[in-house]
Amino acid sequence: MKKTNSRVEEFIRVDHAGERGAVKIYEGQLLALNTIVKNDNLKKTIEDMKEHEIEHCQFFENEIKKRNIEPTKFLPLWDLLGVGLGFGSTILGKKAAMLCTASVEEVIDKHYQDQINQLGPEEKNLKKKIIKFREDELHHKDIAYEKGATKKGIYSIMDKIIKTGSKIAIRISEKV
């Protein structure tokens, strides 16, 4: 078991939490789509995006184990909030569900780009994965806007709430 520097540990801890959170958001959205809201087209879109998030989450899960990094202590809370956010945004309608994805992905885009800029050649594989995952997240954001995400009117408030919550979760998960 190799020990990594504290900054890289923070990256892996927070990315693990974030990717797991993304899976939980999509699980919440699918729960709403399987119970209250019927939209097979939206369900298929979310299922496809969830597959990427599972792949990302598994990579960071393996990195946590391989490098002996303590996951964030807030995982149970993030799981609950993620499912709640996904479920809640989806019962508000397709625009809100897709805005949820777009808002989160916009925060993650900047977050991953900051990490890419800080990772050195000694973390070539990690950097390569984060670059790939960032591209996946940008693709999800594009899909969300194609499928109706909007920041007009009341949705601008929802966008700010989701982005603020995501940034707070990132800061906490890096450290605790």
Side-chain angles (χ1 to χ4, degrees):
M1 252 175 315
K2 71 178 188 180
K3 200 67 177 146
T4 49
N5 78 48
S6 63
R7 196 69 189 123
V8 172
E9 277 188 30
E10 288 179 3
F11 289 174
I12 292 168
R13 179 182 305 108
V14 71
D15 292 351
H16 170 255
E19 296 297 351
R20 182 164 152 163
V23 170
K24 294 299 177 185
I25 289 169
Y26 288 133
E27 285 177 0
Q29 291 183 325
L30 291 169
L31 179 63
L33 287 163
N34 287 324
T35 56
I36 297 172
V37 181
K38 297 296 178 199
N39 184 331
D40 289 338
N41 188 19
L42 183 58
K43 185 175 165 182
K44 174 78 176 104
T45 299
I46 289 169
E47 286 170 341
D48 290 346
M49 291 190 292
K50 182 183 168 198
E51 286 306 308
H52 290 140
E53 305 301 352
I54 289 170
E55 173 197 335
H56 302 174
C57 186
Q58 287 172 338
F59 171 79
F60 288 114
E61 186 80 35
N62 291 336
E63 287 297 302
I64 277 199
K65 288 178 182 147
K66 185 171 77 181
R67 297 175 188 242
N68 197 27
I69 296 170
E70 188 78 28
T72 177
K73 291 174 179 34
F74 284 83
L75 278 181
L77 179 60
W78 299 159
D79 287 353
L80 190 63
L81 292 173
V83 171
L85 177 60
F87 188 86
S89 65
T90 304
I91 62 171
L92 292 174
K94 184 179 176 182
K95 284 182 182 179
M98 289 293 92
L99 177 62
C100 179
T101 293
S103 299
V104 170
E105 300 301 19
E106 287 170 3
V107 172
I108 299 311
D109 168 30
K110 182 182 179 328
H111 171 72
Y112 273 163
Q113 188 59 59
D114 289 346
Q115 290 183 350
I116 291 163
N117 293 343
Q118 292 179 55
L119 286 169
E122 71 286 350
E123 289 291 349
K124 191 173 77 176
N125 185 50
L126 179 62
K127 187 173 189 170
K128 191 170 88 177
K129 283 290 190 182
I130 293 174
I131 289 168
K132 187 231 182 268
F133 296 166
R134 179 177 172 263
E135 288 167 3
D136 290 346
E137 308 300 5
L138 289 171
H139 182 62
H140 295 170
K141 180 189 75 164
D142 292 343
I143 290 169
Y145 282 113
E146 287 166 18
K147 299 281 184 180
T150 181
K151 293 180 186 174
K152 292 185 178 135
I154 194 84
Y155 294 105
S156 69
I157 296 167
M158 186 177 158
D159 174 60
K160 286 177 180 65
I161 291 168
I162 292 170
K163 284 182 174 171
T164 301
S166 297
K167 290 173 187 173
I168 290 168
I170 286 169
R171 294 295 159 250
I172 291 170
S173 295
E174 283 176 336
K175 304 295 181 189
V176 183

